[in-house]
Amino acid sequence: MAMPPFLQSFIDGPKLPKIILGMIGLVAIGAGGWFLLLSPVQAEIATLDERHTQLVTELTQSRAQVAELQRFRREMAELQAKLDLLKAKLPTEKETPALYRAVSEAAQAAGLGVSLFQPREPKQKDYVAEIPITVTAEGNYHQVGQFFERVAGLERVVKLSEMKLIGLTKARNVLRAELTLATYMYRDAPAPPKPGAPAAPKPAAAIPGKEASS
């Protein structure tokens, strides 16, 4: 079959147009292969790279959250240990009478003459109840100091809130000590807010130190 004249003319013609046309054909084939085969693969690789970056970011955030959770658990355990220690130093409602006897016996052991020992109505303070104890006793300075030392050595928290010393000139004892002591009873729930007062937050209750100061 005879070829078309233009095709026969092209075949029999110079080599340069044939080479140019061949290169154009190769470029067209390469471009077609790129768009048909390589381009989807490249797009998938880009998607996978983006997903990998996202997963690395999520992993970093998750590790930071785990570290924060572990730190939070350690702090909670430390706070619970401190709370347990404080609760061990605070009398319960059943133990309060025994604490009163211990304070009264401390005054007697110090040689003080106790004329008044009166626990008063508890004052509710968040997670603790402060129980004031009014004590009036007579003795000398050394005996009063011994009493404070014995109170400071009690297992339960007892602190000196108020003290008034009155010199006695016409009595066997040198002075009269009018004292207000305070102990604290732990509460499982915070004290209800007063009517009209804003609700208080739930911070850890500040527990006064176990001391007796003059």
Side-chain angles (χ1 to χ4, degrees), residues 101-170:
R101 288 194 299 271
V103 174
S104 178
E105 291 171 357
Q108 296 175 5
L112 293 176
V114 179
S115 58
L116 176 65
F117 187 93
Q118 182 180 5
R120 301 208 302 264
E121 189 70 19
K123 300 177 181 179
Q124 308 300 335
K125 293 186 176 182
D126 292 334
Y127 286 87
V128 296
E130 179 180 316
I131 306 175
I133 305 172
T134 300
V135 178
T136 300
E138 294 181 358
N140 55 42
Y141 288 98
H142 178 68
Q143 291 169 329
V144 173
Q146 279 191 336
F147 171 66
F148 291 155
E149 183 178 354
R150 291 177 181 274
V151 169
L154 294 176
E155 293 183 358
R156 302 299 184 179
V157 175
V158 179
K159 80 162 196 173
L160 177 65
S161 297
E162 299 177 8
M163 179 177 67
K164 182 179 180 181
L165 300 178
I166 303 173
L168 302 176
T169 57
K170 298 181 179 180

Side-chain angles (χ1 to χ4, degrees), residues 2-213:
M3 293 185 181
F6 73 93
L7 184 57
Q8 187 65 41
S9 176
F10 176 79
I11 294 173
D12 295 338
K15 292 182 178 181
L16 183 60
K18 298 176 184 178
I19 295 173
I20 294 174
L21 184 60
M23 293 178 63
I24 293 174
L26 290 175
V27 171
I29 294 173
W34 168 263
F35 286 107
L36 293 176
L37 300 176
L38 297 180
S39 181
V41 173
Q42 192 71 19
E44 185 176 356
I45 291 175
T47 302
L48 291 176
D49 285 341
E50 182 179 356
R51 180 57 178 166
H52 176 266
T53 303
Q54 181 181 358
L55 290 175
V56 169
T57 302
E58 292 177 356
L59 178 61
T60 302
Q61 293 175 348
S62 298
R63 287 176 176 173
Q65 292 173 353
V66 169
E68 185 70 13
L69 178 60
Q70 292 175 346
R71 183 183 66 82
F72 176 74
R73 287 176 175 174
R74 288 195 301 269
E75 291 180 354
M76 285 294 296
E78 293 173 358
L79 290 175
Q80 185 62 45
K82 291 179 180 179
L83 177 61
D84 293 341
L85 180 61
L86 289 175
K87 289 170 65 176
K89 292 180 177 293
L90 301 182
T92 63
E93 186 174 0
K94 294 180 179 180
E95 295 172 326
T96 303
L99 177 63
Y100 295 159
R101 288 194 299 271
V103 174
S104 178
E105 291 171 357
Q108 296 175 5
L112 293 176
V114 179
S115 58
L116 176 65
F117 187 93
Q118 182 180 5
R120 301 208 302 264
E121 189 70 19
K123 300 177 181 179
Q124 308 300 335
K125 293 186 176 182
D126 292 334
Y127 286 87
V128 296
E130 179 180 316
I131 306 175
I133 305 172
T134 300
V135 178
T136 300
E138 294 181 358
N140 55 42
Y141 288 98
H142 178 68
Q143 291 169 329
V144 173
Q146 279 191 336
F147 171 66
F148 291 155
E149 183 178 354
R150 291 177 181 274
V151 169
L154 294 176
E155 293 183 358
R156 302 299 184 179
V157 175
V158 179
K159 80 162 196 173
L160 177 65
S161 297
E162 299 177 8
M163 179 177 67
K164 182 179 180 181
L165 300 178
I166 303 173
L168 302 176
T169 57
K170 298 181 179 180
R172 180 167 60 91
N173 295 316
V174 177
L175 55 84
R176 176 187 299 115
E178 297 180 354
L179 312 172
T180 299
L181 306 177
T183 187
Y184 299 85
M185 183 171 61
Y186 179 76
R187 295 168 50 87
D188 290 328
K194 296 180 180 179
K202 296 174 62 179
I207 309 299
K210 182 180 177 183
E211 59 181 4
S213 58

